[in-house]
Amino acid sequence: MNGHNSRQMRVLHVSPEFAPFSKVGGLADVVGSLPPALRSQGVDCRVYTPAWKGVLDYVRDKGYPLTRLSRKAEMVFRWNILRGTVWKSCSEGVPVYFLDLPSLFGTETIYPRNLTPDTVLPFLFLSLSALDLPEASRWRPDIFHCHDWGTAPLSAALAWHHHYRYQSERYRTVFTIHNLAHQGLLPLDSLREWGLADDAGRIDSMEFFSYGNLLKGALLASSAITTVSPTYAREIQTRGGGEGLGGVLSALGPKVTGILNGLDVNYWNPAADPLLPARYSREDMAGKALCRKELFSRAGWEEDNHPLFVSVGRMAEQKGFSLLLPALEEISQKNWRIFFLGTGEPEYEKGLEEAARRWPGSVHSVIGYDEPLAHLAYAGGDFFLMPSRFEPCGLSQLIALRYGTVPVVRSTGGLADTVRPFPEEGGNGITFSVYTPEALLSAMDEAAGLFTEQKAEYTELQKKGMGQDFSWDASAPLYKELYVSILRKGN
Ligand code: ADP
Ligand code: GLC
């Protein structure tokens, strides 16, 4: 298509999050690390993302280049013209375009608590203005690669928008599902406000139980759909795992692929991590003991030889907090310790703070987003807990493995693809299947037994994880192949 064979393929990644500039969870890490990996595979990848509050200051402080495109990004909405500035920068060799409009992107948090026709506006503007970027930047992508519901309006616009549908022949789109639980539901009528034709509201387009479903629109309209692990790709095509879209996804099955996430292994590297009090490697683990000591002291605990479990992540139902909270009382009766870092649902934050007050000798909880403390927790723990109800991929368990902190996980989605149970061949962690506090506690018991009674096996397990390759080397070529195949097909 368009003679791309004779030149590099061009792909614009459009994403609401982009590490290290803005981050809520693993999506940011993926968009921060996949494009550089693809560039080293010869794909001309660029990123289009909002300049959320503080992002441009960070860019300037860190000395990244910054120039302004002469043309503004514009969108008409309810008889108003929104006009944003597009800044061009470069991160890890990847050209980046930041969309800047403080009235939309000046918020403290990226995602609104309630999605409404007003709060969707930042995501709508990001998605639609991406389609005008080729003109403004004089760089025309072959493919728009969109990430999660916030960028779903882009593919939907190419299918149903009064203005943009005329460009649909020009571009291919890839849509990556990082989390099917968030779909972007809006009153059906509101779709008309942003220029979608009435046929967007039909059952075979964006209609979903009388709502407009942004994600469903993108799934139907995109040239290809990917998700972030092979097991999750299977799970979401079922009634149980499809969050209401299982039928749609299974009907679209031939265009759904599961590609396992990689990690930025230079950033997540215990041998060179500047945020740790001491560095270490598979060959010399002494530094890990110092990190453990430091983590104990942060929690106000006396260090001993009983196991220390850590949990870093969003405190959301997805992550298994409805199993963890009821398990804490029993945990407090053992000689185990459990260190939590995260933010999320007020119900879980409160529950953990209460547990920490009740059982200060075994439960410690830090509510907040704290990058250095996250590094210390990954390095200082003996086990990493991730009892997720569902998990599209999960990067935390990969980071934990790399830092020699043995994962204890529920076998679902990407956790099933990356953590194999000990002592099975290739085992690198401890797993359980049934979603109950009892099953979690029995996996933790197994972990504790291993740690206190089978030190040699425990150390072997640590080293196995630390020796695995979690880089993009295996997965970036799969994205490249997918790009080639959709351009070749020309659909
Ligand atoms: P998800 O994207 O579902 O939140 P992932 O495991 O894919 O889960 O990625 C989570 C990422 O966010 C990891 O890099 C993790 O270290 C980071 N993270 C989550 N919560 C915090 C926090 N409170 N402080 C620092 N980093 C965090
Ligand atoms: C999502 C998922 C997580 C995944 C991340 C990056 O937030 O919850 O499992 O690792 O996206 O793809």
Side-chain angles (χ1 to χ4, degrees), residues 26-27 30 178-179 228 261 314 318-319 391-395:
L27 166 60
V30 170
H178 294 264
N179 196 330
V228 289
N261 282 337
R314 289 182 298 113
Q318 172 195 344
K319 302 288 175 185
E391 196 60 69
C393 179
L395 298 178

Side-chain angles (χ1 to χ4, degrees), residues 84-129:
T85 303
V86 181
W87 298 89
K88 186 174 179 197
S89 183
C90 188
S91 163
E92 299 214 23
V94 177
V96 183
Y97 300 95
F98 289 107
L99 175 60
D100 178 25
L101 183 58
S103 62
L104 285 192
F105 301 115
T107 52
E108 289 294 340
T109 51
I110 293 183
Y111 301 106
R113 197 155 268 285
N114 292 313
L115 191 67
T116 67
D118 293 311
T119 58
V120 78
L121 211 51
F123 304 95
L124 199 56
F125 190 37
L126 172 71
S127 303
L128 299 195
S129 66

Side-chain angles (χ1 to χ4, degrees), residues 198-433:
D198 285 347
D199 52 356
R202 292 193 328 216
I203 177 79
D204 56 354
S205 37
M206 295 170 79
E207 197 274 345
F208 182 78
F209 299 102
S210 307
Y211 282 88
N213 184 324
L214 301 184
L215 192 99
K216 181 183 171 197
L219 298 180
L220 291 166
S222 298
S223 322
I225 301 165
T226 73
T227 189
V228 289
S229 70
T231 296
Y232 193 60
R234 284 192 298 277
E235 290 170 350
I236 59 175
Q237 294 182 52
T238 63
R239 192 186 286 269
E243 307 276 346
L245 289 173
V248 174
L249 278 157
S250 99
L252 295 172
K255 69 171 184 179
V256 180
T257 324
I259 302 179
L260 199 65
N261 282 337
L263 268 188
D264 179 342
V265 288
N266 294 324
Y267 180 73
W268 294 112
N269 178 7
D273 189 334
L275 296 175
L276 296 183
R279 277 150 285 284
Y280 58 95
S281 65
R282 207 164 165 250
E283 290 69 42
D284 179 4
M285 297 283 278
K288 185 164 170 74
L290 290 173
C291 295
R292 185 178 195 266
K293 200 182 193 63
E294 173 71 19
L295 192 58
F296 267 87
S297 107
R298 289 287 183 98
W301 295 323
E302 193 86 20
E303 195 186 15
D304 62 23
N305 292 328
H306 297 295
L308 168 58
F309 294 87
V310 294
S311 155
V312 176
R314 289 182 298 113
M315 291 169 173
E317 203 261 341
Q318 172 195 344
K319 302 288 175 185
F321 280 90
S322 54
L323 298 190
L324 272 166
L325 281 168
L328 290 178
E329 178 156 17
E330 196 167 327
I331 290 173
S332 75
Q333 291 157 7
K334 317 240 183 195
N335 288 318
W336 307 341
R337 297 207 170 72
I338 178 159
F339 186 106
F340 290 97
L341 166 63
T343 54
E345 297 297 326
E347 169 198 350
Y348 299 133
E349 293 186 354
K350 250 189 259 135
L352 287 174
E353 282 182 320
E354 225 172 84
R357 264 194 306 273
R358 251 176 105 182
W359 305 297
S362 47
V363 181
H364 188 81
S365 151
V366 178
I367 305 298
Y369 188 93
D370 186 333
E371 189 72 18
L373 186 56
H375 286 240
L376 181 66
Y378 285 120
D382 302 316
F383 294 98
F384 190 84
L385 275 182
M386 213 157 156
S388 305
R389 186 172 70 77
F390 70 93
E391 196 60 69
C393 179
L395 298 178
S396 289
Q397 81 280 12
L398 303 182
I399 301 169
L401 283 162
R402 198 157 156 73
Y403 280 62
T405 302
V406 175
V408 178
V409 308
R410 180 163 172 269
S411 221
T412 178
L415 293 171
D417 291 335
T418 55
V419 183
R420 303 302 310 156
F422 173 81
E424 221 180 61
E425 173 77 22
N428 57 359
I430 289 165
T431 68
F432 66 101
S433 303

Side-chain angles (χ1 to χ4, degrees), residues 11-15 31 34-35 38 45-48 145 147 483:
V11 181
L12 184 68
H13 285 257
V14 185
S15 171
V31 180
L34 173 61
L38 280 164
C45 271
R46 301 190 181 193
V47 175
Y48 188 56
H145 188 153
H147 297 270
Y483 297 154

